[in-house]
Amino acid sequence: MRKLLVKTGSYIQKAIDFTYPLFRKFMPLQMYRYGVCGCTNVMFDWVLYFFTYNFILKYRLVDLGAVTLSPHIASLIIIFPVVTFWGFLLQKYVTFTASDLRGRVQLMRYFMVILVNLLINYIGLKIMVDGLGFFPTPSKMIITVVTVICSYIGQNKFTFKISLHPTEETEKTDNT
């Protein structure tokens, strides 16, 4: 399965890299790959959220017995695992391929960053939809801008960081 993911990631990278020369002046390759993968995942998120909210839940409250969820929050909870897993695969096998951290470490760190994003989404939806009366789907889109920025920083500096090997660390210390 891993070989298939690596090979598929390589094909996606080649497709993304084909259009990179148009954007070379504006950003490094890794940021461009992140942007394309992120935009793809965001579009998937929005479509899945719209479909879940409008056609599966049909604007209805979800009664879980102990708690009742509003349809916009229930939609967020339903799509979260699907979008999270898809996003992890894109970031691991397309964007941040140079990371030497083990896959399970990356997955746990990715999940931590995503949980922060989920909290931002939840609070943002509660404020915008319940507090200010905005429509759920456009509210989700606005909140996504904030979570994309938080996510890029978290994924680049924490989840998929490239660790220094002891010899490289020693060389850096010796040269400074």
Side-chain angles (χ1 to χ4, degrees):
M1 182 64 156
R2 186 178 189 293
K3 286 182 182 181
L4 176 64
L5 291 170
V6 169
K7 192 171 190 169
T8 303
S10 177
Y11 287 134
I12 294 170
Q13 264 186 348
K14 288 176 185 172
I16 292 170
D17 293 355
F18 179 75
T19 59
Y20 176 65
L22 299 170
F23 300 91
R24 183 175 286 144
K25 292 180 182 178
F26 308 108
M27 66 185 78
L29 179 59
Q30 184 184 52
M31 185 179 284
Y32 181 70
R33 286 178 181 164
Y34 179 83
V36 172
C37 289
C39 286
T40 302
N41 203 40
V42 165
M43 297 308 262
F44 178 59
D45 178 54
W46 290 348
V47 168
L48 199 56
Y49 183 86
F50 177 83
F51 182 78
T52 303
Y53 180 80
N54 290 290
F55 299 109
I56 295 175
L57 298 178
K58 298 179 182 176
Y59 323 108
R60 293 183 303 232
L61 296 172
V62 177
D63 185 7
L64 300 176
V67 67
T68 300
L69 299 175
S70 58
H72 55 281
I73 298 300
S75 297
L76 176 66
I77 292 169
I78 291 168
I79 70 166
F80 175 75
V82 176
V83 173
T84 298
F85 186 68
W86 177 252
F88 175 75
L89 292 177
L90 284 173
Q91 298 310 325
K92 178 173 177 55
Y93 292 105
V94 178
T95 304
F96 299 107
T97 58
S99 177
D100 56 355
L101 294 174
R102 297 183 67 95
R104 67 176 169 259
V105 172
Q106 290 174 340
L107 182 60
M108 290 305 296
R109 289 180 176 196
Y110 185 84
F111 192 67
M112 284 189 263
V113 172
I114 293 303
L115 283 177
V116 170
N117 286 340
L118 181 63
L119 184 63
I120 293 169
N121 269 287
Y122 176 80
I123 292 169
L125 284 172
K126 290 303 265 180
I127 291 169
M128 293 181 78
V129 177
D130 295 340
L132 301 174
F134 293 149
F135 289 107
T137 302
S139 296
K140 176 78 169 87
M141 291 174 171
I142 292 167
I143 296 162
T144 298
V145 173
V146 175
T147 59
V148 164
I149 294 166
C150 295
S151 183
Y152 179 74
I153 293 167
Q155 304 310 353
N156 191 30
K157 302 292 183 193
F158 178 63
T159 304
F160 298 104
K161 76 176 187 172
I162 300 170
S163 63
L164 293 175
H165 298 288
T167 55
E168 292 172 353
E169 210 170 78
T170 306
E171 289 173 9
K172 284 191 175 200
T173 308
D174 293 341
N175 292 337
T176 55

